[in-house]
Amino acid sequence: MKGGHAKEIGNIGNLNKVQVSEDANTIAFVTYVNKQKGMVAEAMLCLNQINLYSLLDSAHQNKTICLGKELMNVSKIDNMSRRKRKWTLSKVKSYSDYFAVLYQNATERELYDSDRESFLLVFKWDGTPVLKIRIPFMASSFGISDTGDIYIFDNYGKYEKLYLYKNINDIV
């Protein structure tokens, strides 16, 4: 998401013809399924993209959301040393009208850096960005309650932290 906007790209973007030679984590992802909508959100762990798939209608609901100016080059990331490689997205969770992902964009070492920040990105199921919450630490997980309260967790550093954002239902 650059300047509060996500860039939509054709289905699967740069993963249509990809081969990794060094590390399968290059194309690893976390997914969540919204059974009511028949949609899947797939957040790439080392790439700056989210893939949306329809389980019901493949003709017009499949898309790739690019979190930046352009999709990362898979071969370049694959050949990068693990110490330099960034983990971009780490969690994805599904809700009735939207899904949310945790954006970290940090190397393994930076995950434990208390000066780093992360973001919670919220999208409608059609890929439209809804909300971007700056988290003043490197979050490790999150949850959104039925009442719209967001709980953000951190267990990377010396102390565990829990942040609460009250009632986002009016926003999303």
Side-chain angles (χ1 to χ4, degrees):
M1 193 180 289
K2 192 77 169 172
H5 301 288
K7 179 180 175 186
E8 184 181 317
I9 300 172
N11 187 24
I12 311 177
N14 60 343
L15 299 180
N16 282 325
K17 297 175 185 174
V18 70
Q19 214 174 12
V20 292
S21 57
E22 298 298 321
D23 188 354
N25 285 327
T26 303
I27 57 171
F29 54 88
V30 290
T31 59
Y32 216 100
V33 177
N34 181 310
K35 293 179 184 176
Q36 294 80 15
K37 293 196 177 297
M39 291 293 293
V40 177
E42 177 182 88
M44 306 303 292
L45 297 178
C46 295
L47 302 172
N48 63 339
Q49 69 191 70
I50 302 166
N51 300 313
L52 296 179
Y53 302 96
S54 171
L55 299 174
L56 307 174
D57 181 7
S58 62
H60 40 356
Q61 290 194 24
N62 297 345
K63 60 180 69 172
T64 296
I65 301 169
C66 175
L67 304 173
K69 291 182 180 181
E70 59 185 34
L71 292 175
M72 292 175 163
N73 181 303
V74 177
S75 297
K76 183 178 176 183
I77 301 299
D78 187 44
N79 290 313
M80 190 179 289
S81 75
R82 285 192 68 122
R83 288 185 305 174
K84 292 182 180 179
R85 185 178 303 173
K86 292 195 175 198
W87 295 91
T88 51
L89 301 162
S90 66
K91 300 283 183 210
V92 60
K93 297 204 177 174
S94 167
Y95 301 93
S96 58
D97 296 328
Y98 55 91
F99 67 94
V101 296
L102 186 57
Y103 181 74
Q104 295 174 315
N105 198 33
T107 63
E108 285 187 40
R109 183 179 192 141
E110 290 170 338
L111 289 174
Y112 297 92
D113 186 348
S114 61
D115 293 333
R116 298 284 301 183
E117 63 184 11
S118 51
F119 295 89
L120 184 64
L121 309 177
V122 180
F123 296 88
K124 291 182 182 178
W125 278 102
D126 66 1
T128 304
V130 176
L131 184 64
K132 179 179 182 179
I133 297 175
R134 182 188 160 278
I135 304 166
F137 57 87
M138 191 55 65
S140 56
S141 190
F142 70 93
I144 302 176
S145 72
D146 291 340
T147 59
D149 295 339
I150 300 176
Y151 296 88
I152 298 178
F153 307 96
D154 165 29
N155 64 353
Y156 287 124
K158 185 176 179 180
Y159 302 102
E160 292 184 355
K161 299 174 190 164
L162 171 65
Y163 275 51
L164 172 62
Y165 292 85
K166 297 294 283 180
N167 194 0
I168 65 156
N169 281 340
D170 296 333
I171 301 169
V172 295

